[in-house]
Amino acid sequence: MFIDANGLTFYVELHGDETADRRILNIGGTGGDLRTSMPDRNPLNTIGHVLHYDQRGLGQTSKPAGPHEMADYADDAAAVVRAIGWERCHVVGTSFGGMVAQHLAIRHPDLVQRLVLNCTSPGGTQPSFPLHTLEELDAEARIELMLGLLDNRWDPGRDDPIPGLPNAFYDTMIQGYRTPRTGEARTGYLAQLDARSRHDTQRRLGEIGAPTLVAAGAFDDLAPPPNSEALAEAIPDATVEFFDGGHLFMLQDRTAYPRILEFLQD
């Protein structure tokens, strides 16, 4: 469905049990589009009523002219939650969505009950890899570098090039990387990369009052493990847990989602 919030029109989907008291906002990663990310299959849907949405510039949501700041994406998230009538909710942010979630918890602390930050970084002196620099490379060089960033064990000579990742998913991912983004999809993606390059919550992480789980892949070079440790050290009520995978650890390690669900049900 479409809702108006923060001066834009957002495409949102609600999944799970609409009568559940547990409400969860899911904030996806860079370039996310609900038409391809299968929100109806997200494990979060099994424990509550879950809000998934296309961020500004992406999918079926409005595409305002940039540049945008991380605060804009955070204020969008808060406005979407309030527009559907929720006063508070748990927040799960992954990668770029984890950066948005940090700003959301700082700017709108009354809204966030529990916070999960997956494979993300605080920015500042501990940023995630500068993805905007990959745009300068040709397609094959960009793919090769990106795969190594996703999991530093990547080896194209192995039967399983990225350990724990189904080969069918790996092949689909490679094909997706070889298909260039065009038009509005590329514009929205580049706007995210631009905002991401200025992401920095280091000095304000101590303001986050929500109980927080920082979840990360032990072999992630896109959002390296020290970045997750820094988040957990700076957020007052936070723990960090590492899983057997890289940036896609939630697909690689079958214990990851159960741990996230357990945290949100405590």
Side-chain angles (χ1 to χ4, degrees), residues 118-175:
N118 294 320
C119 51
T120 194
S121 302
T125 62
Q126 290 186 281
S128 288
F129 184 87
L131 287 178
H132 61 282
T133 62
L134 297 186
E135 296 304 303
E136 303 167 2
L137 304 177
D138 65 68
E140 293 306 311
R142 184 167 61 248
I143 290 170
E144 182 173 351
L145 181 54
M146 188 66 186
L147 291 172
L149 290 170
L150 290 176
D151 192 309
N152 57 36
R153 300 169 296 175
W154 172 67
D155 182 352
R158 293 168 47 120
D159 290 337
D160 56 341
I162 294 182
L165 191 70
N167 283 351
F169 185 91
Y170 175 82
D171 293 339
T172 299
M173 185 173 65
I174 295 295
Q175 184 57 42

Side-chain angles (χ1 to χ4, degrees), residues 14-242:
L14 288 163
H15 292 283
D17 183 0
E18 64 181 18
T19 67
D21 291 333
R22 185 178 297 109
R23 295 168 172 175
I24 304 168
L25 170 66
N26 184 43
I27 310 178
T30 306
D33 184 332
L34 296 190
R35 291 173 293 191
T36 58
S37 61
M38 298 182 290
D40 57 315
R41 301 185 187 180
N42 193 297
L44 296 173
N45 302 338
T46 64
I47 63 166
H49 200 200
V50 187
L51 169 61
H52 310 265
Y53 72 107
D54 285 334
Q55 298 185 63
R56 62 167 58 205
L58 299 172
Q60 300 176 78
T61 286
S62 296
K63 297 168 176 62
H68 311 310
E69 299 300 330
M70 294 304 301
D72 297 322
Y73 293 96
D75 290 349
D76 289 346
V80 167
V81 167
R82 291 174 176 133
I84 65 167
W86 292 1
E87 294 182 1
R88 300 190 74 205
C89 62
H90 300 317
V91 177
V92 178
T94 300
S95 194
F96 178 87
M99 299 178 192
V100 176
Q102 293 167 51
H103 289 270
L104 175 63
I106 291 167
R107 294 173 65 82
H108 304 275
D110 59 309
L111 185 148
V112 182
Q113 290 176 285
R114 283 181 167 255
L115 179 64
V116 178
L117 301 175
N118 294 320
C119 51
T120 194
S121 302
T125 62
Q126 290 186 281
S128 288
F129 184 87
L131 287 178
H132 61 282
T133 62
L134 297 186
E135 296 304 303
E136 303 167 2
L137 304 177
D138 65 68
E140 293 306 311
R142 184 167 61 248
I143 290 170
E144 182 173 351
L145 181 54
M146 188 66 186
L147 291 172
L149 290 170
L150 290 176
D151 192 309
N152 57 36
R153 300 169 296 175
W154 172 67
D155 182 352
R158 293 168 47 120
D159 290 337
D160 56 341
I162 294 182
L165 191 70
N167 283 351
F169 185 91
Y170 175 82
D171 293 339
T172 299
M173 185 173 65
I174 295 295
Q175 184 57 42
Y177 284 148
R178 289 199 172 112
T179 304
R181 291 181 174 86
T182 58
E184 291 181 331
R186 178 169 173 76
T187 300
Y189 171 74
L190 292 178
Q192 281 189 312
L193 296 190
D194 176 59
R196 179 183 181 278
S197 71
R198 295 184 295 279
H199 165 65
D200 183 358
T201 57
Q202 280 188 317
R203 294 185 180 88
R204 300 192 63 186
L205 291 172
E207 300 174 31
I208 296 178
T212 301
L213 172 64
V214 180
F219 305 98
D220 187 353
D221 276 1
L222 184 56
N227 294 8
S228 294
E229 292 171 343
L231 284 167
E233 289 173 3
I235 297 171
D237 186 7
T239 59
V240 61
E241 297 191 27
F242 291 99

Side-chain angles (χ1 to χ4, degrees), residues 248-266:
L248 304 175
F249 73 88
M250 289 182 288
L251 299 176
Q252 296 171 273
D253 188 336
R254 294 187 178 184
T255 71
Y257 256 120
R259 176 64 188 110
I260 291 168
L261 300 182
E262 177 187 36
F263 173 79
L264 293 174
Q265 294 176 90
D266 284 347

